[in-house]
Amino acid sequence: MARPRARRPWPVRLRSVAGQVFALQILVVLLLVIAAAVALVVQSRGDADQEARDHSVAVAQTFANAPGIVEALRSPDPTAVLQPRAEAARVASGVDFVVVLSDQGIRYTHPNPARIGQMFIGTFEPALHGKVVTERVNGTLGPLVQAVVPVYAPDGSVAGLVSAGITVKNVDTASERQLPVVLAVAAGAIALATLGTALITRRLRRQTHGLDPAEMTRMYEHHAAVLHAVREGVVIVAGDGRLLLCNDEARRLLDLPPDAEGRPVTELGLEPAPLELLTADRPVTDQVVPAGERLLAVNVRLTDQAGGPPGCVATLRDSTELLALSGRVETVQRRLRLLYDAGMTVGSTLDVTRTAEELAQVAVPRFADFVTVDLAEQVLTGEEPPPGGQLGRVRRTAFAGVREDAPFHPVGTVLDVVPATPLAGALDSGEPGLEPHLAEAEGWRRQDPEQSEQVLAYGVHSLLRVPLRARGVLLGVVRFWRAQRPEPFEAEDLVLAEELVAHAAVCVDNARRYTREHEMAVTLQHSLLPRSLPEQDALDVAYRYLPARAGVGGDWFDVIPLPGARVALVVGDVVGHGLHAAATMGRLRTAIHNFSTLDLPPDELLGHLDELVSRIDREEAAGEGFGPAGATCLYAIYDPVSRRCTMAGAGHPAPAVVDPQGHVEFAPVPTGPPLGLADLPFESVEVELAEGSRLVLFTDGLVADRTREVGAGLERLRTVLSGSARTPEQTCADLLGALLPAEPQDDIALLVARTRVLAPDHVAEWEVASDPAAVREVRAAVARRLEAWGLDEAAFVTELILSELVTNAIRYGSGPIRVRLLRDRALICEVSDGSSTSPHLRYAASEDEGGRGLFLVAQFADRWGTRYTATGKVIWTEQPLE
C-alpha cells in the first residue's frame, strides 16, 4: 500500500515577516484598485454628464444652423416641414429627442406627436437673448441633459429655438472603457506580488538559519541610535520601581541625573505629577502634567499585559509650544466659525430691522457682551441716506446683550451725533475705532456724558465702533462692548469686527433698496386698485386684497356698472411680482374699463384684452423688456332683470356659485388660455342665479401655495362656503381665516357678490309695431307707467326720448321692435330692434330739416349708448331720478 504523499508547506505564512509583507502588498494593491475604480466611476459620471451636454449642444446647434430651418419656422405649417427632419436628425445623431420650439416655447416637433403644440418643459428664456441653455432634468426616460439654442434669422433676430437631449445612461465615456484595463492590471499586480513573495521566502529560508552575535550587536546599535534620536522621551521602569532605561530626550524633559538608570524613580527628584504617573501601575493616555516650566504629555503602558515582566514603558512629549499654538488655532477657528455663521444667518430676509437684529445676535456672546446697531432714519424707510460721509442723526435699530439691565438706550431711540467726538469722526471718515480701556478714554464720553458714566459703572470696559458702509454709502454704525469678559478688545478683534460689519452692511443696503422698491410698488399698486366700489343695486359686494410678503404682485379686481342695471365683475392675475407686474395690472384694468364702455360680451372683451397683452409682449421684446406680460382673467356680467350671469375666462380659476341653500358648485366656465397666448376665440357660458346666490371670484393665491395643491385648495374652499347663508363680508372673513397661508407667497384677490333681482313692478316692456302711428301709443303707455311710479316730472323728457328712439327704429331698423323701461338708481329707457346699424350723433346744419333728434336725446339724457345683441341692437338712455 503506497504511503500518502506529504503535503508541501505553503511557501508564505502570515506569521512570518514575509507573509506579513505579502499581506500588506495585497492590501495596498486592493486599496489602489478600489481607489482607481471609484475614481473612474466618479470621473465616468462627470464625463458622461459633460459628454451629454456637449453632444446635446452640438446636435441642437447643427440642426439650428441647417439650411431651410428659418423658412420652415416661418411657413404656415412648421410641424409638417420640421417633424420628419427632426426625427431623422435624432436617429442619425443618437440623441433621445430633437425638438423645435417657437419663440414662446411651443413645440413644433417631438418624438411623441401627442406632445406637439404643448409648452416646452424646461428653461428656454435665455436662449431668446442669444444664449445657449443646458440643464440636467429628470425626464420620463430617466436623468437626461438637454440643450436649447436659438435659431437666428438672416436679420439677426431669433426666429425660434431648437432643443436636443440625451439620457446620461446612453453616453459611453472613456472612463468606463478603462475600468476593465484597471482590473486586469490589478490582477496582474496581485499575481506578481504573490510570485515575488514566494521566491523571496524560499531564498530566505535557505540562506537564513538564525542570527549571529554580530547581527545581534548591530541590531542593538540600531535600536540605541533610534531610541536616542527621537524627539520623544522614553522611560522604562521595572516592577520594583527602578529606572531601567531612559533616552536623552527623557533626561532633558525630566532633568534626570547622569546615574539615573538603575536607581528607584522616587529618588530622582521628579516633579510630583510625573512621578505619580510613573509609579501608579496603570495605563495613561496623553495626560498633560506640569514639570517645572514645561507641560508634558505622558503616555504609560504596562509591560506585563501579554505575559511580559512587570513594569511600565512611558513616553514623554513636550507640549508647551504645541499648547500655545493650539490655543491660537482654536481662536482662529472660533473666529472663522463666527464669520461663517454670520454669513449664513445675517441677511436671511430683506428686512432692514431684522438684518440689524441678526448682526447683533450673532456677535453676542461669542464676540462681545453687548452690541448696538444705529442706522440713519432714511435707511429704515428705504430712502437714500444723506449725502456725504457724516450722519447727524441715527436711530437705535437693534440691541443684543448677555443681560437685559444694561444701561444702553433702548431700540427706537433717536441719537444726535455730537460733533468732534470719536463717533462723529468714525462716521465722517468711515474708519473703525478701538477703545480698549474705556475708563481711560475721554473723547467718547462727550457723546452722552450721563449715559457714559452709567455704562462705566455697569462694568463695560472696552469698545469697538465700526461704521456700516456699503457701495460707498454710509448707513450707520455698529458698536461692540465688553463687560463680563475681562480681556479688552485688541487689534485682531477690530479686523474681525470689520469683516462682520462689512457683510452685514451689504445685507442692510440690499434690504434698504428692496424696501424702497417695495414701497414704490405698493404705492403704485394701491393707486391702481379700486379705492371704493361703485354704487349699484344689482349685487351686494365685498372684497379683500392681500399683497404677498415676498413682493407686490399683479392681482386685481373690479366692479363695473353697465347699462341696463347690469354689473360686471372682474378678477385677474398678472404673472410675476414687482413694479412691472403692478404697472401691467394697471394697464389691463384701464383697458377693461375702456372695453366695458363698449358693452361687449365677456368672450369678445377677453379677445380684445388678449390682443393688448400680445402687443405689450411685442413692444417689450423689441426693447429691453421684462419678459412676457402673461395674465389670467375672469370677466362676468350679471343682469338683475333676467337673473342671468354670463362669464368667460382666460386661464383663470372658475368662480364658485353658492345657492341660497348653501350648495356649492364651480361655474362651468370654458377653460381658455392665459392672455397673450390665445390662438382661438374665447368662449362664454351663461348661468341663471337664484336671488340671494353668492358668486365667489378669487385668484389662485387663495387656494394654492407651496404646501397645498390647487385641487386641495378648491375642495377646502367648497367646504368653507357650504352651509348656512352668510353676508359677503362674513364670507370673505371665513375664507381668509380658513385658507390664508401663514406666509403668502402670492397676492390674493377675493370678490364675493350676493345677487339681487330687480322687482317685477320696476320693469315695463312693450312691443311696438313698425308703424309711425304706434309711437303715440307707446308715449301714452310710458306716461301711464311713470305716473304709477310717481315720476310725473320725468314724463315729458322720457316721452321725447322714446319718441325719437322708436321713430328711428321704425324708420331705419327692422322688427321686432321692443321698448323696455327700468326703474333702478336711474330711469333706464331701452329700444331694441333687429338691425345692427348703430345711430351716430351729428350736428345738423341750419338748413337741414332733420338730424336733430339724437342730439336732443344726448342733451336730455344723462347717458346714452348702443349695446349689440345676438339678434340686433339696443339703444339705451339713463335719466337721473332726482
Side-chain angles (χ1 to χ4, degrees):
M1 182 176 178
R3 295 179 61 184
R5 184 176 180 181
R7 179 180 296 177
R8 297 182 62 184
W10 179 251
V12 179
R13 295 181 181 178
L14 292 180
R15 293 183 179 180
S16 64
V17 175
Q20 296 174 359
V21 172
F22 172 72
L24 181 60
Q25 289 178 340
I26 297 299
L27 178 61
V28 170
V29 171
L30 289 177
L31 290 177
L32 290 176
V33 171
I34 293 173
V38 171
L40 283 175
V41 170
V42 173
Q43 182 180 359
S44 174
R45 292 181 179 178
D47 292 346
D49 188 75
Q50 186 60 41
E51 247 182 88
R53 291 177 183 272
D54 296 341
H55 192 47
S56 300
V57 171
V59 172
Q61 289 181 336
T62 301
F63 193 86
N65 296 323
I69 295 299
V70 176
E71 290 76 9
L73 285 171
R74 294 177 175 176
S75 65
D77 189 359
T79 299
V81 180
L82 294 175
Q83 176 69 4
R85 297 178 63 180
E87 286 301 292
R90 177 181 67 83
V91 174
S93 61
V95 297
D96 291 295
F97 66 86
V98 175
V99 177
V100 182
L101 315 173
S102 69
D103 57 356
Q104 295 181 347
I106 304 301
R107 299 189 182 105
Y108 286 147
T109 69
H110 197 277
N112 185 359
R115 298 185 181 179
I116 295 176
Q118 297 181 1
M119 194 69 181
F120 177 70
I121 305 299
T123 304
F124 66 90
E125 290 81 0
L128 297 175
H129 302 285
K131 298 182 179 179
V132 177
V133 180
T134 61
E135 59 182 343
R136 184 185 178 105
V137 298
N138 288 325
T140 57
L141 301 177
L144 57 86
V145 175
Q146 64 184 17
V148 182
V149 301
V151 177
Y152 292 103
D155 60 355
S157 63
V158 176
L161 306 173
V162 176
S163 175
I166 183 172
T167 55
V168 178
K169 66 180 181 179
N170 291 337
V171 180
D172 184 17
T173 64
S175 301
E176 293 178 347
R177 296 190 294 270
Q178 294 174 359
L179 188 58
V181 178
V182 173
L183 297 178
V185 172
I190 293 175
L192 289 177
T194 304
L195 179 61
T197 304
L199 294 176
I200 293 174
T201 301
R202 289 186 176 183
R203 185 166 185 176
L204 288 176
R205 285 181 177 177
R206 289 196 305 267
Q207 295 181 354
T208 304
H209 301 284
L211 297 175
D212 55 21
E215 291 174 340
M216 293 291 294
T217 301
R218 190 180 307 112
M219 181 181 295
Y220 176 78
E221 291 175 351
H222 292 168
H223 167 72
V226 172
L227 181 64
H228 294 288
V230 295
R231 293 294 305 273
E232 193 172 63
V234 179
V235 176
I236 300 177
V237 181
D240 56 1
R242 291 180 300 108
L243 180 63
L244 297 181
L245 177 67
C246 64
N247 64 352
D248 295 340
E249 185 67 10
R251 292 178 184 275
R252 185 183 70 84
L253 295 176
L254 296 176
D255 197 16
L256 297 176
D259 58 346
E261 294 180 352
R263 296 172 56 185
V265 293
T266 55
E267 301 176 0
L268 300 178
L270 300 179
E271 295 285 342
L275 177 61
E276 190 274 331
L277 296 179
L278 293 176
T279 59
D281 195 23
R282 60 181 175 83
V284 175
T285 301
D286 287 336
Q287 183 167 340
V288 179
V289 296
E293 297 180 354
R294 298 186 180 91
L295 290 175
L296 302 181
V298 181
N299 289 273
V300 178
R301 295 293 181 267
L302 303 181
T303 58
D304 58 355
Q305 297 297 318
C312 66
V313 177
T315 59
L316 312 171
R317 187 173 65 255
D318 189 355
S319 62
T320 306
E321 296 180 358
L322 180 61
L323 185 62
L325 181 61
S326 299
R328 290 194 294 271
V329 171
E330 185 179 356
T331 301
V332 173
Q333 288 178 342
R334 287 199 303 267
R335 293 182 174 181
L336 290 176
R337 185 66 184 178
L338 176 60
L339 290 175
Y340 173 78
D341 292 343
M344 297 297 294
T345 58
V346 178
S348 61
T349 64
L350 288 173
D351 182 82
V352 174
T353 302
R354 180 58 188 161
T355 303
E357 292 172 349
E358 290 169 345
L359 170 61
Q361 292 168 1
V362 78
V364 175
R366 299 162 63 180
F367 179 66
D369 297 325
F370 302 97
V371 175
T372 59
V373 182
D374 304 322
L375 299 178
E377 292 188 271
Q378 295 86 348
V379 175
L380 298 175
T381 58
E383 303 173 10
E384 288 288 339
Q390 187 172 357
L391 296 178
R393 174 173 293 181
V394 293
R395 181 180 293 273
R396 179 64 46 85
T397 307
F399 169 79
V402 294
R403 295 177 58 182
E404 297 294 335
D405 58 347
F408 294 100
H409 291 297
V411 174
T413 304
V414 177
L415 306 175
D416 292 322
V417 179
V418 178
T421 60
L423 176 60
L427 293 175
D428 186 26
S429 63
E431 297 297 328
L434 169 62
E435 301 284 357
H437 304 289
L438 280 177
E440 302 174 2
E442 296 293 337
W444 74 282
R445 303 188 188 190
R446 293 195 297 271
Q447 173 63 33
D448 192 338
E450 182 179 352
Q451 196 227 10
S452 301
E453 294 300 328
Q454 295 175 0
V455 168
L456 291 175
Y458 186 78
V460 178
H461 60 83
S462 191
L463 164 66
L464 283 178
R465 69 177 65 86
V466 182
L468 264 166
R469 182 183 293 273
R471 303 180 179 97
V473 177
L474 184 62
L475 307 173
V477 62
V478 182
R479 284 177 281 187
F480 303 88
W481 314 78
R482 279 186 180 175
Q484 294 188 358
R485 289 190 178 192
E487 65 273 12
F489 285 115
E490 300 175 349
E492 294 181 356
D493 297 320
L494 183 59
V495 174
L496 175 61
E498 287 185 88
E499 295 182 4
L500 282 173
V501 174
H503 169 72
V506 175
C507 298
V508 169
D509 192 52
N510 290 339
R512 177 189 67 82
R513 293 166 180 260
Y514 171 79
T515 301
R516 179 183 60 190
E517 294 181 2
H518 183 73
E519 291 296 330
M520 293 172 58
V522 168
T523 302
L524 173 62
Q525 187 184 44
H526 286 178
S527 67
L528 296 175
L529 287 172
R531 299 186 179 182
S532 62
L533 296 181
E535 296 182 355
Q536 45 82 31
D537 292 332
L539 297 168
D540 183 10
V541 181
Y543 65 92
R544 294 289 189 276
Y545 175 78
L546 297 177
R549 294 188 180 180
V552 174
D555 292 16
W556 87 93
F557 64 92
D558 248 320
V559 178
I560 306 173
L562 297 178
R566 297 169 303 136
V567 176
L569 300 176
V570 188
V571 170
D573 183 3
V574 176
V575 175
H577 293 84
L579 288 172
H580 178 250
T584 303
M585 176 268 290
R587 297 173 71 177
L588 296 183
R589 182 168 176 257
T590 302
I592 290 177
H593 274 268
N594 292 334
F595 292 147
S596 66
T597 59
L598 302 177
D599 212 347
L600 299 175
D603 51 347
E604 293 186 22
L605 186 142
L606 290 182
H608 289 292
L609 203 61
D610 176 75
E611 294 179 1
L612 173 63
V613 174
S614 299
R615 185 165 65 251
I616 293 174
D617 288 345
R618 289 194 297 269
E619 292 174 357
E620 294 185 348
E624 297 181 358
F626 293 86
T632 64
C633 182
L634 181 76
Y635 189 85
I637 298 177
Y638 174 69
D639 187 349
V641 178
S642 64
R643 295 186 291 106
R644 292 186 175 274
C645 183
T646 307
M647 296 174 279
H652 200 85
V657 179
V658 188
D659 63 18
Q661 290 73 36
H663 181 68
V664 182
E665 292 290 344
F666 289 99
V669 180
T671 302
L675 298 174
L677 300 177
D679 296 327
L680 298 175
F682 293 95
E683 298 181 28
S684 61
V685 65
E686 187 176 75
V687 295
E688 185 172 338
L689 303 177
E691 184 177 5
S693 299
R694 282 172 292 164
L695 196 61
V696 181
L697 291 76
F698 53 90
T699 56
D700 56 2
L702 181 66
V703 295
D705 59 14
R706 294 180 180 177
T707 61
R708 181 176 57 198
E709 295 183 354
V710 175
L714 292 176
E715 288 303 317
R716 179 61 178 159
L717 182 139
R718 182 197 298 270
T719 302
V720 175
L721 290 176
S722 301
S724 59
R726 284 164 284 186
T727 64
E729 282 290 339
Q730 185 62 42
T731 303
C732 289
D734 293 345
L735 286 175
L736 291 182
L739 296 174
L740 182 64
E743 294 186 359
Q745 301 299 318
D746 194 6
D747 291 12
I748 296 176
L750 175 62
L751 196 63
V752 179
R754 184 170 57 187
T755 61
R756 298 173 180 171
V757 176
L758 193 63
D761 58 350
H762 284 197
V763 180
E765 292 185 86
W766 299 274
E767 187 164 349
V768 182
S770 297
D771 184 359
V775 176
R776 182 175 58 184
E777 299 177 1
V778 172
R779 293 180 59 177
V782 168
R784 289 191 297 269
R785 179 52 60 95
L786 292 178
E787 182 181 1
W789 285 347
L791 301 176
D792 297 336
E793 296 180 359
F796 175 76
V797 173
T798 305
E799 291 179 24
L800 179 63
I801 291 174
L802 284 176
S803 296
E804 178 61 28
L805 295 181
V806 172
T807 301
N808 284 344
I810 295 173
R811 181 177 301 176
Y812 304 110
S814 60
I817 301 173
R818 291 184 177 87
V819 173
R820 186 170 74 164
L821 208 60
L822 304 177
R823 181 182 179 182
D824 193 42
R825 288 181 175 269
L827 181 62
I828 302 171
C829 301
E830 295 180 348
V831 177
S832 62
D833 64 77
S835 172
S836 59
T837 303
S838 174
H840 295 281
L841 180 66
R842 68 184 184 89
Y843 293 94
S846 58
E847 65 273 9
D848 289 345
E849 296 183 0
R852 297 177 178 84
L854 200 57
F855 178 78
L856 293 176
V857 170
Q859 292 297 314
F860 285 110
D862 191 36
R863 297 172 59 208
W864 76 281
T866 305
R867 179 171 74 251
Y868 293 97
T869 65
T871 59
K873 69 176 182 297
V874 176
I875 309 297
W876 57 268
T877 64
E878 288 186 4
Q879 300 167 241
L881 294 180
E882 295 181 0

